[in-house]
Amino acid sequence: EGILSMLKDHYKQVFTLPPGNPKQFPLGIVAGIPGIGKTRASLEYVRHAVQMTQASGHATTVVPIYVTYNSTTPFGSLDRVLGAGLSIAYRVLLSYINEDNFWNLPKVQEVAAAIGRVTLSEVLGIIAMHAMQYPPNLVQLQVAAAGSSSSSSSSSPALTTANPPRVMFVLILDEFQRALIHEGVAPEPRHPVSNKIDSPFLQSIVQAMVTCSIRSISPQTWHCTALFAGLTFVPLEELIRGSSHSLTRFPVPCLTFGQSVAYVKYYMETQRPTSWPQDFDITQDAVFQRVLMY
């Protein structure tokens, strides 16, 4: 219930925040080990955004866009060639079109031939114009939310604002840690002196998403909230530290010891090293259990 309340409060803050103050914009992040529920938490955020917006009586169209660097649309050479700004813009557009396995050279070439070099802000403007005429079908999402006891277990805060956007984007970037490279070349870069994460590539992606999420004083058709999900919190926190933006961490409840053991056993069913004896069960190893406890 704690994380669900935080998700609701975060969306309320983003939706009702007055324009013109970039220092108040809150980024969101869900970090944790594989299988702990990061993607589920991100989808819960979307469900709450839809429910809260509709319950508040605003005529705002909520448009969720989910971008991931996982195995279906992996981060790789195509991103490096395009560069951070263009790759995230094209990924967002192709994700909205919702084609399976869209991140490949032919699809990207089609987009490049149609619209050329664009920024993420320009892409969201294009999507907003389309969404106002053809709102996304969120029926399935709403049915899932209505059937979830966690989603309806507590009341949602009202979204009181005098200037609601016509389109509200919920932009999610999953597995963001895979973009931790230095200028698209070296993996997991660190500054030679400070030994801290030094990734201009990911920094450019974050900056593009932040820029789109700051509400300007001038009238704006759309607004955006940005949520990151990945294995670790520290790299993103180090990139944000020192900037004018804040970072809200949504703590996913930790697994119990029994749940952790069950997860490892399930994982080993497909990833078991061939060199291990057939009757060897690593979850019964004393050293492994100590590590798991920590």
Side-chain angles (χ1 to χ4, degrees):
E1 185 64 29
I3 185 174
L4 297 179
S5 297
M6 288 184 66
L7 294 173
K8 296 175 185 178
D9 291 341
H10 183 270
Y11 180 73
K12 176 185 177 181
Q13 182 181 5
V14 173
F15 193 94
T16 60
L17 204 62
N21 190 343
K23 292 185 178 181
Q24 292 184 355
F25 170 73
L27 289 168
I29 179 173
V30 181
I33 63 173
I36 200 173
K38 299 185 297 295
T39 302
R40 172 62 189 274
S42 300
L43 294 178
E44 285 291 331
Y45 189 102
V46 175
R47 293 189 183 103
H48 291 314
V50 174
Q51 288 181 326
M52 292 165 64
T53 304
Q54 294 182 350
S56 298
H58 297 301
T60 301
T61 299
V62 177
V63 180
I65 298 181
Y66 178 77
V67 176
T68 179
Y69 292 140
N70 68 7
S71 57
T72 57
T73 54
F75 182 90
S77 58
L78 192 52
D79 296 277
R80 297 185 181 100
V81 171
L82 291 172
L86 196 56
S87 70
I88 189 63
Y90 282 2
R91 277 181 176 270
V92 166
L93 181 59
L94 287 168
S95 177
Y96 175 74
I97 297 173
N98 199 24
E99 294 189 21
D100 294 332
N101 300 318
F102 61 79
W103 196 241
N104 54 62
L105 184 57
K107 293 294 183 184
V108 171
Q109 287 177 328
E110 291 178 6
V111 174
I115 62 177
R117 299 189 66 85
V118 290
T119 65
L120 178 58
S121 179
E122 291 170 334
V123 163
L124 291 180
I126 294 171
I127 296 174
M129 296 299 293
H130 182 273
M132 285 189 291
Q133 295 188 49
Y134 308 99
N137 184 4
L138 300 177
V139 173
Q140 186 175 2
L141 181 65
Q142 284 294 84
V143 169
S148 171
S149 58
S150 62
S151 295
S152 58
S153 58
S154 61
S155 59
S156 299
L159 304 178
T160 304
T161 177
N163 187 29
R166 296 183 63 184
V167 174
M168 184 68 187
F169 290 106
V170 179
L171 183 56
I172 299 169
L173 179 59
D174 202 356
E175 301 291 349
F176 74 88
Q177 77 282 347
R178 300 191 182 192
L180 279 173
I181 56 176
H182 184 75
E183 300 293 354
V185 181
E188 298 186 2
R190 288 187 173 271
H191 192 276
V193 178
S194 66
N195 195 34
K196 292 183 177 180
I197 295 295
D198 180 29
S199 179
F201 197 97
L202 180 61
Q203 181 70 61
S204 297
I205 292 174
V206 172
Q207 187 60 43
M209 295 173 67
V210 167
T211 301
C212 293
S213 303
I214 298 174
R215 184 174 295 178
S216 62
I217 298 177
S218 59
Q220 191 174 15
T221 301
W222 56 269
H223 190 37
C224 174
T225 178
L227 183 64
F228 297 84
L231 295 181
T232 179
F233 167 74
V234 175
L236 191 61
E237 192 271 340
E238 289 185 348
L239 290 175
I240 295 298
R241 184 185 300 163
S243 71
S244 60
H245 314 297
S246 61
L247 181 63
T248 300
R249 183 178 184 180
F250 305 113
V252 181
C254 295
L255 299 177
T256 64
F257 181 80
Q259 290 172 328
S260 299
V261 170
Y263 173 80
V264 172
K265 287 185 175 180
Y266 173 78
Y267 180 80
M268 286 302 169
E269 290 179 2
T270 57
Q271 304 294 330
R272 182 184 180 87
T274 56
S275 59
W276 286 4
Q278 189 65 31
D279 59 347
F280 176 65
D281 182 1
I282 192 174
T283 61
Q284 299 302 313
D285 181 81
V287 175
F288 174 81
Q289 290 182 354
R290 292 192 192 102
V291 172
L292 203 59
M293 289 178 184
Y294 285 104

Short mmCIF file of all heavy atoms in Angstrom, two decimals, residues 116-161:
data_model
loop_
_atom_site.label_atom_id
_atom_site.label_comp_id
_atom_site.label_asym_id
_atom_site.label_seq_id
_atom_site.Cartn_x
_atom_site.Cartn_y
_atom_site.Cartn_z
N GLY A 116 12.52 12.65 -40.67
CA GLY A 116 13.88 13.14 -40.53
C GLY A 116 14.33 13.24 -39.07
O GLY A 116 13.86 12.50 -38.21
N ARG A 117 15.20 14.18 -38.79
CA ARG A 117 15.72 14.36 -37.44
C ARG A 117 14.74 15.18 -36.61
O ARG A 117 14.39 16.30 -36.97
CB ARG A 117 17.09 15.06 -37.47
CG ARG A 117 18.16 14.28 -38.22
CD ARG A 117 19.52 14.92 -38.03
NE ARG A 117 19.95 14.84 -36.64
CZ ARG A 117 20.57 13.78 -36.10
NH1 ARG A 117 20.82 12.71 -36.84
NH2 ARG A 117 20.95 13.80 -34.84
N VAL A 118 14.29 14.62 -35.53
CA VAL A 118 13.32 15.27 -34.66
C VAL A 118 13.76 15.12 -33.21
O VAL A 118 14.55 14.25 -32.87
CB VAL A 118 11.91 14.67 -34.83
CG1 VAL A 118 11.32 15.01 -36.17
CG2 VAL A 118 11.94 13.16 -34.62
N THR A 119 13.23 15.98 -32.37
CA THR A 119 13.47 15.86 -30.94
C THR A 119 12.34 15.07 -30.29
O THR A 119 11.28 14.85 -30.90
CB THR A 119 13.54 17.25 -30.29
OG1 THR A 119 12.26 17.88 -30.40
CG2 THR A 119 14.60 18.11 -30.95
N LEU A 120 12.56 14.64 -29.06
CA LEU A 120 11.51 13.93 -28.33
C LEU A 120 10.29 14.83 -28.15
O LEU A 120 9.15 14.38 -28.26
CB LEU A 120 12.04 13.48 -26.97
CG LEU A 120 11.04 12.77 -26.05
CD1 LEU A 120 10.46 11.52 -26.73
CD2 LEU A 120 11.69 12.41 -24.73
N SER A 121 10.51 16.11 -27.89
CA SER A 121 9.41 17.04 -27.72
C SER A 121 8.56 17.14 -29.00
O SER A 121 7.33 17.16 -28.94
CB SER A 121 9.95 18.43 -27.35
OG SER A 121 8.90 19.36 -27.21
N GLU A 122 9.23 17.17 -30.15
CA GLU A 122 8.50 17.23 -31.41
C GLU A 122 7.71 15.96 -31.66
O GLU A 122 6.57 16.00 -32.16
CB GLU A 122 9.48 17.49 -32.56
CG GLU A 122 10.09 18.89 -32.53
CD GLU A 122 11.22 19.05 -33.51
OE1 GLU A 122 11.88 18.04 -33.87
OE2 GLU A 122 11.48 20.21 -33.93
N VAL A 123 8.28 14.82 -31.30
CA VAL A 123 7.57 13.55 -31.46
C VAL A 123 6.32 13.49 -30.58
O VAL A 123 5.25 13.07 -31.02
CB VAL A 123 8.51 12.36 -31.15
CG1 VAL A 123 7.72 11.08 -30.89
CG2 VAL A 123 9.48 12.14 -32.29
N LEU A 124 6.46 13.94 -29.33
CA LEU A 124 5.29 13.95 -28.44
C LEU A 124 4.22 14.90 -28.95
O LEU A 124 3.02 14.66 -28.79
CB LEU A 124 5.71 14.33 -27.02
CG LEU A 124 6.58 13.30 -26.28
CD1 LEU A 124 6.93 13.79 -24.89
CD2 LEU A 124 5.88 11.95 -26.21
N GLY A 125 4.63 15.99 -29.58
CA GLY A 125 3.66 16.90 -30.19
C GLY A 125 2.89 16.22 -31.32
O GLY A 125 1.68 16.39 -31.45
N ILE A 126 3.59 15.43 -32.13
CA ILE A 126 2.94 14.68 -33.21
C ILE A 126 1.95 13.67 -32.64
O ILE A 126 0.81 13.55 -33.10
CB ILE A 126 4.01 13.96 -34.07
CG1 ILE A 126 4.88 14.98 -34.82
CG2 ILE A 126 3.35 13.00 -35.06
CD1 ILE A 126 6.07 14.37 -35.51
N ILE A 127 2.40 12.94 -31.62
CA ILE A 127 1.53 11.93 -31.01
C ILE A 127 0.31 12.58 -30.35
O ILE A 127 -0.80 12.05 -30.42
CB ILE A 127 2.33 11.11 -29.98
CG1 ILE A 127 3.44 10.32 -30.67
CG2 ILE A 127 1.40 10.15 -29.22
CD1 ILE A 127 4.36 9.59 -29.71
N ALA A 128 0.52 13.73 -29.71
CA ALA A 128 -0.59 14.42 -29.05
C ALA A 128 -1.68 14.79 -30.05
O ALA A 128 -2.87 14.64 -29.77
CB ALA A 128 -0.08 15.66 -28.32
N MET A 129 -1.30 15.30 -31.20
CA MET A 129 -2.27 15.66 -32.23
C MET A 129 -3.07 14.43 -32.67
O MET A 129 -4.29 14.50 -32.89
CB MET A 129 -1.56 16.29 -33.42
CG MET A 129 -0.87 17.61 -33.10
SD MET A 129 -2.05 18.89 -32.54
CE MET A 129 -2.98 19.15 -34.06
N HIS A 130 -2.40 13.30 -32.81
CA HIS A 130 -3.08 12.07 -33.20
C HIS A 130 -4.00 11.58 -32.08
O HIS A 130 -5.14 11.17 -32.33
CB HIS A 130 -2.05 11.00 -33.55
CG HIS A 130 -2.66 9.70 -34.02
ND1 HIS A 130 -3.02 8.70 -33.14
CD2 HIS A 130 -2.98 9.26 -35.26
CE1 HIS A 130 -3.53 7.69 -33.83
NE2 HIS A 130 -3.52 7.99 -35.11
N ALA A 131 -3.51 11.61 -30.84
CA ALA A 131 -4.27 11.09 -29.70
C ALA A 131 -5.54 11.89 -29.44
O ALA A 131 -6.54 11.35 -28.96
CB ALA A 131 -3.40 11.06 -28.45
N MET A 132 -5.52 13.19 -29.75
CA MET A 132 -6.71 14.01 -29.55
C MET A 132 -7.81 13.61 -30.54
O MET A 132 -9.00 13.71 -30.23
CB MET A 132 -6.37 15.49 -29.69
CG MET A 132 -5.64 16.05 -28.49
SD MET A 132 -5.44 17.86 -28.53
CE MET A 132 -4.29 18.06 -29.89
N GLN A 133 -7.43 13.15 -31.71
CA GLN A 133 -8.42 12.70 -32.69
C GLN A 133 -8.76 11.23 -32.52
O GLN A 133 -9.90 10.82 -32.73
CB GLN A 133 -7.88 12.93 -34.11
CG GLN A 133 -7.68 14.39 -34.48
CD GLN A 133 -7.33 14.57 -35.93
OE1 GLN A 133 -7.96 14.02 -36.83
NE2 GLN A 133 -6.28 15.34 -36.19
N TYR A 134 -7.76 10.44 -32.12
CA TYR A 134 -7.96 9.00 -31.97
C TYR A 134 -7.42 8.58 -30.60
O TYR A 134 -6.30 8.08 -30.51
CB TYR A 134 -7.25 8.24 -33.08
CG TYR A 134 -7.59 8.72 -34.47
CD1 TYR A 134 -6.74 9.59 -35.16
CD2 TYR A 134 -8.77 8.31 -35.10
CE1 TYR A 134 -7.06 10.04 -36.43
CE2 TYR A 134 -9.09 8.75 -36.37
CZ TYR A 134 -8.23 9.62 -37.03
OH TYR A 134 -8.55 10.06 -38.28
N PRO A 135 -8.20 8.78 -29.54
CA PRO A 135 -7.74 8.44 -28.20
C PRO A 135 -7.36 6.96 -28.10
O PRO A 135 -8.02 6.11 -28.71
CB PRO A 135 -8.95 8.76 -27.31
CG PRO A 135 -9.74 9.75 -28.10
CD PRO A 135 -9.56 9.37 -29.53
N PRO A 136 -6.32 6.64 -27.36
CA PRO A 136 -5.92 5.23 -27.21
C PRO A 136 -6.98 4.43 -26.48
O PRO A 136 -7.71 4.96 -25.64
CB PRO A 136 -4.62 5.32 -26.40
CG PRO A 136 -4.71 6.63 -25.68
CD PRO A 136 -5.44 7.55 -26.61
N ASN A 137 -7.07 3.16 -26.81
CA ASN A 137 -8.05 2.27 -26.20
C ASN A 137 -7.50 1.78 -24.86
O ASN A 137 -6.61 0.94 -24.82
CB ASN A 137 -8.33 1.08 -27.12
CG ASN A 137 -9.42 0.17 -26.57
OD1 ASN A 137 -10.02 0.46 -25.53
ND2 ASN A 137 -9.67 -0.93 -27.24
N LEU A 138 -8.04 2.32 -23.78
CA LEU A 138 -7.58 1.96 -22.45
C LEU A 138 -8.57 1.08 -21.71
O LEU A 138 -8.48 0.91 -20.50
CB LEU A 138 -7.32 3.24 -21.63
CG LEU A 138 -6.27 4.20 -22.21
CD1 LEU A 138 -6.17 5.44 -21.35
CD2 LEU A 138 -4.92 3.53 -22.33
N VAL A 139 -9.51 0.49 -22.45
CA VAL A 139 -10.54 -0.35 -21.82
C VAL A 139 -9.90 -1.53 -21.10
O VAL A 139 -10.21 -1.84 -19.96
CB VAL A 139 -11.56 -0.83 -22.86
CG1 VAL A 139 -12.52 -1.83 -22.23
CG2 VAL A 139 -12.31 0.35 -23.45
N GLN A 140 -8.98 -2.21 -21.79
CA GLN A 140 -8.34 -3.37 -21.19
C GLN A 140 -7.55 -2.98 -19.95
O GLN A 140 -7.56 -3.68 -18.94
CB GLN A 140 -7.41 -4.03 -22.20
CG GLN A 140 -6.79 -5.34 -21.69
CD GLN A 140 -5.96 -6.02 -22.77
OE1 GLN A 140 -5.83 -5.51 -23.87
NE2 GLN A 140 -5.42 -7.19 -22.45
N LEU A 141 -6.90 -1.83 -20.01
CA LEU A 141 -6.16 -1.34 -18.86
C LEU A 141 -7.09 -1.05 -17.70
O LEU A 141 -6.81 -1.39 -16.56
CB LEU A 141 -5.39 -0.08 -19.25
CG LEU A 141 -4.53 0.57 -18.17
CD1 LEU A 141 -3.40 -0.36 -17.78
CD2 LEU A 141 -3.99 1.90 -18.65
N GLN A 142 -8.24 -0.45 -17.98
CA GLN A 142 -9.19 -0.12 -16.93
C GLN A 142 -9.82 -1.37 -16.32
O GLN A 142 -10.06 -1.43 -15.13
CB GLN A 142 -10.29 0.79 -17.49
CG GLN A 142 -9.84 2.23 -17.69
CD GLN A 142 -9.53 2.90 -16.36
OE1 GLN A 142 -8.43 2.75 -15.83
NE2 GLN A 142 -10.47 3.60 -15.80
N VAL A 143 -10.08 -2.37 -17.14
CA VAL A 143 -10.64 -3.62 -16.64
C VAL A 143 -9.66 -4.27 -15.68
O VAL A 143 -10.02 -4.76 -14.61
CB VAL A 143 -10.98 -4.58 -17.80
CG1 VAL A 143 -11.32 -5.97 -17.27
CG2 VAL A 143 -12.13 -4.03 -18.62
N ALA A 144 -8.38 -4.27 -16.06
CA ALA A 144 -7.36 -4.84 -15.19
C ALA A 144 -7.28 -4.07 -13.88
O ALA A 144 -7.10 -4.65 -12.81
CB ALA A 144 -6.01 -4.82 -15.90
N ALA A 145 -7.41 -2.76 -13.97
CA ALA A 145 -7.35 -1.94 -12.76
C ALA A 145 -8.55 -2.19 -11.86
O ALA A 145 -8.43 -2.28 -10.65
CB ALA A 145 -7.26 -0.46 -13.14
N ALA A 146 -9.73 -2.31 -12.47
CA ALA A 146 -10.94 -2.53 -11.70
C ALA A 146 -10.92 -3.88 -11.00
O ALA A 146 -11.47 -4.04 -9.92
CB ALA A 146 -12.16 -2.43 -12.61
N GLY A 147 -10.25 -4.85 -11.62
CA GLY A 147 -10.19 -6.17 -11.03
C GLY A 147 -9.07 -6.36 -10.04
O GLY A 147 -8.90 -7.42 -9.48
N SER A 148 -8.27 -5.32 -9.84
CA SER A 148 -7.14 -5.41 -8.93
C SER A 148 -7.52 -4.81 -7.59
O SER A 148 -7.88 -3.66 -7.49
CB SER A 148 -5.93 -4.66 -9.51
OG SER A 148 -4.91 -4.57 -8.54
N SER A 149 -7.42 -5.61 -6.53
CA SER A 149 -7.78 -5.11 -5.20
C SER A 149 -6.83 -4.02 -4.76
O SER A 149 -7.21 -3.10 -4.05
CB SER A 149 -7.74 -6.27 -4.20
OG SER A 149 -6.44 -6.87 -4.16
N SER A 150 -5.54 -4.12 -5.20
CA SER A 150 -4.57 -3.12 -4.77
C SER A 150 -4.87 -1.77 -5.38
O SER A 150 -4.58 -0.73 -4.80
CB SER A 150 -3.16 -3.57 -5.16
OG SER A 150 -3.03 -3.69 -6.56
N SER A 151 -5.42 -1.78 -6.61
CA SER A 151 -5.66 -0.51 -7.28
C SER A 151 -6.84 0.23 -6.70
O SER A 151 -6.96 1.44 -6.83
CB SER A 151 -5.91 -0.76 -8.78
OG SER A 151 -4.74 -1.28 -9.39
N SER A 152 -7.77 -0.49 -6.08
CA SER A 152 -8.98 0.15 -5.58
C SER A 152 -9.08 0.11 -4.06
O SER A 152 -10.12 0.40 -3.51
CB SER A 152 -10.21 -0.56 -6.19
OG SER A 152 -10.18 -1.94 -5.88
N SER A 153 -7.96 -0.24 -3.40
CA SER A 153 -8.01 -0.42 -1.96
C SER A 153 -8.05 0.90 -1.21
O SER A 153 -8.38 0.95 -0.05
CB SER A 153 -6.79 -1.24 -1.49
OG SER A 153 -5.60 -0.60 -1.87
N SER A 154 -7.68 1.99 -1.84
CA SER A 154 -7.72 3.28 -1.17
C SER A 154 -8.17 4.34 -2.15
O SER A 154 -8.08 4.18 -3.35
CB SER A 154 -6.33 3.62 -0.61
OG SER A 154 -5.39 3.70 -1.65
N SER A 155 -8.66 5.44 -1.62
CA SER A 155 -9.16 6.50 -2.48
C SER A 155 -8.02 7.21 -3.17
O SER A 155 -6.90 7.25 -2.69
CB SER A 155 -9.97 7.49 -1.64
OG SER A 155 -9.15 8.04 -0.62
N SER A 156 -8.33 7.78 -4.32
CA SER A 156 -7.33 8.50 -5.10
C SER A 156 -7.45 9.99 -4.83
O SER A 156 -8.56 10.52 -4.74
CB SER A 156 -7.52 8.22 -6.59
OG SER A 156 -7.36 6.85 -6.87
N PRO A 157 -6.32 10.69 -4.70
CA PRO A 157 -6.38 12.13 -4.46
C PRO A 157 -6.93 12.86 -5.68
O PRO A 157 -6.70 12.46 -6.82
CB PRO A 157 -4.91 12.50 -4.21
CG PRO A 157 -4.12 11.41 -4.85
CD PRO A 157 -4.95 10.17 -4.71
N ALA A 158 -7.67 13.93 -5.44
CA ALA A 158 -8.27 14.69 -6.54
C ALA A 158 -7.20 15.50 -7.26
O ALA A 158 -6.27 16.02 -6.66
CB ALA A 158 -9.35 15.61 -5.99
N LEU A 159 -7.37 15.61 -8.58
CA LEU A 159 -6.45 16.39 -9.40
C LEU A 159 -7.06 17.76 -9.66
O LEU A 159 -7.76 17.97 -10.64
CB LEU A 159 -6.17 15.66 -10.71
CG LEU A 159 -5.63 14.23 -10.58
CD1 LEU A 159 -5.45 13.60 -11.95
CD2 LEU A 159 -4.31 14.22 -9.82
N THR A 160 -6.81 18.68 -8.76
CA THR A 160 -7.38 20.02 -8.87
C THR A 160 -6.40 20.95 -9.55
O THR A 160 -5.32 21.25 -9.03
CB THR A 160 -7.72 20.57 -7.48
OG1 THR A 160 -8.59 19.65 -6.81
CG2 THR A 160 -8.40 21.92 -7.59
N THR A 161 -6.77 21.40 -10.74
CA THR A 161 -5.92 22.32 -11.48
C THR A 161 -6.79 23.16 -12.41
O THR A 161 -7.79 22.67 -12.93
CB THR A 161 -4.85 21.57 -12.30
OG1 THR A 161 -4.10 22.51 -13.08
CG2 THR A 161 -5.48 20.55 -13.23
#
